[in-house]
Amino acid sequence: MGEGIVSVPTVDRRAVFRAAALWLAFLAPFFYLTYGVANWLAAQRASVPNLAFGWERHIPFLAWTIVPYWSINAFYALSLFVNETSEAVGRLARRYLTAQIVAVICFIAFPLQAIFVRPETHGLPGFMFDVLGGFDKPFNQAPSLHIALLVIIWDHWRGRLHGAVLALWHVWSLLIGLSVLTTWQHHFIDIPTGALLGLFALWLFPAQGPSPLAGFRWTEDAKAWRLARFYAAGAAAFLLLTVLTTYGSGGGLLLLWPALALAIVALGYAGAGPRVFQKRADGRISLASRWLLWPYRLGARLNVLWWTRNLAPAVELADGVFLGRTPRRSELSTYVAVIDMTAEMPAIAAPGLVWHAFPSTDLLPLEACRIRAATLAVEDASRHGPVLICCALGFQRSAAVAACWLVRAGYAANAAIAGERIKAAGRTVHLRPEIFAAIDEAAR
């Protein structure tokens, strides 16, 4: 194969082909049926609103961009057949299905219409527009299902291509994205809302590991419930603001972003746990998590700045082991390794730095097994040089691990004394008595 393409392992090509064909046989009719019903229902209304900005009238109509616009149909089908296993086919199909179901529900509940009338077009573009007009009416707008599927398909191929072919794929994907505007099929606000939907489908069915909602169990922890309700209330507030502000401007739909981010965090506290952040053992987070939860992470970073504004980034406890808040890139040259207890913050890549992540939910007590695993990582890493133990603020999650390390290293007889030693080193910590038992258990 060409050097720009990664060959797909032939695990069981027949199983992959069979799974792809069966899914496509279901998805294609399902799409045209539900999409058509949404269009028909909107057409029955006396009036259908639109959310177009005034500046959009300056977007040129480029007839030739119907070609990249249409090309997503081919990639939609082809992507199902380019997979390593039948399970991977199912994952991609579920992403498609999620995007289609959510989008169609939005089209039926809140129909919008495109208000620009395309000029008469001839030749191949004219033919393609005529075919499109046979089933696509101007009602199914936000979120753009075209953009949602593009996000899913772009992500599917970017991990399978390299070099010039990958660069070409990025360019073509950009053309597909822009074509929804230059064919006058959509208005601008449909694009970010569609991208949000596509990212949600990627988040719900990640490429690595199970769905963050798999095995969901309602928490029995009272504090976790309080925090879940707090974030759910925040999500509801942003959703209400979305409704109120959208009456005046389509830009109000952008408030769906923080609403969705806070709703996901609420699910994490309610029972899904730190999996909602999709953080790996090396500290990296998935593309979907990175973007979907960006509003929450922005708030978390501002919170770090506020609470640690008068504190040193980190303090040395003993033997080159430091405790501190989540570091900045400029502060990493001191360390050979970082033991990161946050679930919400991504790792920072730096030359020669090893990042060990033990994703844990903020403000909730750590289990003894997690404290011990992180402490053993500290012991191993400290043999090679200075080590930073960190969480968002450096007050609780990382402090529990630091206290355990002090006990195991012989600097403190128990967790309570270790906590006092950390305070004496100049670090504010919030270790409650109930965590001491878990620390002492982990230290044994």
Side-chain angles (χ1 to χ4, degrees):
M1 301 181 70
E3 63 177 7
I5 303 178
V6 176
S7 61
V8 178
T10 55
V11 177
D12 188 345
R13 295 306 303 164
R14 289 185 178 181
V16 169
F17 185 89
R18 183 166 55 249
L22 288 173
W23 270 110
L24 187 60
F26 165 72
L27 287 170
F30 179 80
F31 166 77
Y32 286 106
L33 175 63
T34 56
Y35 197 80
V37 167
N39 264 318
W40 180 81
L41 289 173
Q44 306 312 303
R45 299 200 177 200
S47 64
V48 178
N50 70 84
L51 292 177
F53 296 104
W55 57 264
E56 292 184 53
R57 297 186 180 279
H58 301 291
I59 297 175
F61 174 74
L62 303 175
W64 65 268
T65 57
I66 190 62
V67 176
Y69 184 91
W70 260 104
S71 70
I72 199 171
N73 296 325
F75 287 115
Y76 180 100
L78 179 62
S79 298
L80 288 168
F81 292 89
V82 181
N83 277 288
E84 296 77 17
T85 63
S86 56
E87 289 77 12
V89 176
R91 180 175 61 242
L92 176 62
R94 289 179 179 87
R95 291 172 172 179
Y96 285 169
L97 195 58
T98 298
Q100 290 172 206
I101 290 174
V102 174
V104 168
I105 290 173
C106 292
F107 298 156
I108 294 174
F110 310 104
L112 297 168
Q113 66 173 321
I115 59 174
F116 299 152
V117 179
R118 288 191 298 267
E120 186 176 354
T121 308
H122 303 284
L124 177 61
F127 171 76
M128 297 177 78
F129 274 114
D130 289 341
V131 174
L132 182 64
F135 70 89
D136 190 21
K137 306 307 177 185
F139 299 118
N140 296 343
Q141 296 295 301
S144 168
L145 182 54
H146 210 87
I147 295 296
L149 293 174
L150 173 61
V151 169
I152 295 169
I153 295 168
W154 168 79
D155 181 75
H156 180 80
W157 285 96
R158 72 185 179 95
R160 292 169 168 79
L161 304 175
H162 284 298
V165 178
L166 177 60
L168 181 62
W169 171 240
H170 290 325
V171 171
W172 190 257
S173 296
L174 180 61
L175 282 175
I176 294 174
L178 293 175
S179 71
V180 302
L181 294 177
T182 56
T183 56
W184 291 2
Q185 282 292 114
H186 283 275
H187 292 300
F188 173 78
I189 199 61
D190 307 344
I191 294 179
T193 51
L196 197 65
L197 175 55
L199 289 168
F200 175 74
L202 294 180
W203 174 84
L204 191 59
F205 298 103
Q208 296 185 353
S211 169
L213 301 184
F216 182 95
R217 294 290 184 275
W218 293 109
T219 183
E220 296 180 359
D221 185 279
K223 186 174 184 180
W225 263 119
R226 289 196 300 271
L227 291 166
R229 289 194 294 268
F230 172 79
Y231 283 108
F238 274 106
L239 189 59
L240 178 61
L241 284 173
T242 300
V243 174
L244 295 177
T245 56
T246 301
Y247 281 109
S249 170
L253 288 180
L254 295 177
L255 294 175
L256 289 172
W257 190 5
L260 180 57
L262 294 179
I264 289 173
V265 175
L267 285 172
Y269 281 103
R275 291 191 305 273
V276 298
F277 294 99
Q278 296 186 342
K279 188 170 182 176
R280 304 167 192 165
D282 61 1
R284 292 184 297 169
I285 60 176
S286 69
L287 175 77
S289 173
R290 186 183 312 148
W291 285 101
L292 274 184
L293 296 174
W294 184 86
Y296 168 77
R297 288 195 179 92
L298 176 61
R301 291 187 185 281
L302 293 175
N303 186 61
V304 171
L305 289 175
W306 173 256
W307 286 104
T308 65
R309 64 191 185 280
N310 296 322
L311 298 176
V315 296
E316 185 174 9
L317 302 178
D319 299 338
V321 174
F322 292 75
L323 170 66
R325 57 159 170 74
T326 186
R328 302 187 182 108
R329 185 180 300 276
S330 60
E331 299 162 356
L332 291 174
S333 59
T334 304
Y335 311 108
V336 299
V338 172
I339 311 301
D340 173 16
M341 302 306 296
T342 67
E344 67 274 17
M345 299 295 192
I348 302 173
L353 181 72
V354 179
W355 199 286
H356 300 283
F358 298 86
S360 308
T361 310
D362 191 21
L363 298 175
L364 296 185
L366 295 173
E367 296 178 347
C369 59
R370 184 166 292 264
I371 296 173
R372 182 175 178 82
T375 303
L376 293 176
V378 174
E379 293 175 355
D380 181 64
S382 62
R383 299 188 185 102
H384 307 286
V387 176
L388 172 66
I389 310 170
C390 70
C391 60
L393 302 178
F395 293 172
Q396 295 187 43
R397 291 169 287 182
S398 56
V401 175
C404 184
W405 176 81
L406 286 170
V407 174
R408 284 178 58 86
Y411 290 104
N414 55 48
I417 295 174
E420 294 303 318
R421 183 183 176 96
I422 293 172
K423 292 179 182 178
R427 191 71 194 174
T428 301
V429 294
H430 297 156
L431 292 177
R432 298 182 180 275
E434 55 264 29
I435 194 65
F436 289 153
I439 295 172
D440 287 331
E441 179 185 344
R444 288 197 289 269

